[in-house]
Amino acid sequence: MAWHPHEELITHLTRTSALGPGEAARVVADVLAYFSEPVEEFVRRRHAELKAKGLVNEEIFPRIAVEISARRVAAPELSLRQLRRIVYG
């Protein structure tokens, strides 16, 4: 396998799971892509997902605020008004 910037993590995953090196590299790439989503895109995506589930904004924005604070790479703290402005402009 060619050198990978996250080689140590890939090695750890292959040692502690049933994943092969190629699979582990794909998992790492997927996780990094997930957490590299800009906060504005995350807010818009989650708003659309929760809206599609039938939630209303009074439920959605506080929930998104909690989710943002729990992200591995923490986004800046945003007020409910800032969250609304990301979605509605």
Side-chain angles (χ1 to χ4, degrees):
M1 181 169 96
W3 180 83
H4 190 280
H6 302 287
E7 186 173 349
E8 186 178 346
L9 177 57
I10 292 168
T11 300
H12 172 75
L13 289 173
T14 58
R15 188 175 53 245
T16 61
S17 72
L19 297 174
E23 295 167 314
R26 282 191 299 278
V27 168
V28 169
D30 285 347
V31 170
L32 291 174
Y34 175 81
F35 284 114
S36 68
E37 182 178 29
V39 69
E40 291 85 2
E41 288 180 27
F42 174 80
V43 169
R44 287 186 189 106
R45 178 178 60 79
R46 285 300 290 148
H47 181 268
E49 290 170 356
L50 296 171
K51 197 80 159 167
K53 289 182 178 182
L55 278 72
V56 296
N57 284 342
E58 290 72 25
E59 299 168 304
I60 292 172
F61 290 115
R63 183 169 172 171
I64 291 174
V66 169
E67 289 178 4
I68 287 174
S69 69
R71 300 224 2 129
R72 180 70 178 117
V73 179
E77 201 170 312
L78 300 172
S79 69
L80 298 182
R81 182 172 185 251
Q82 289 171 309
L83 294 172
R84 285 186 186 91
R85 291 196 70 182
I86 289 171
V87 173
Y88 296 114

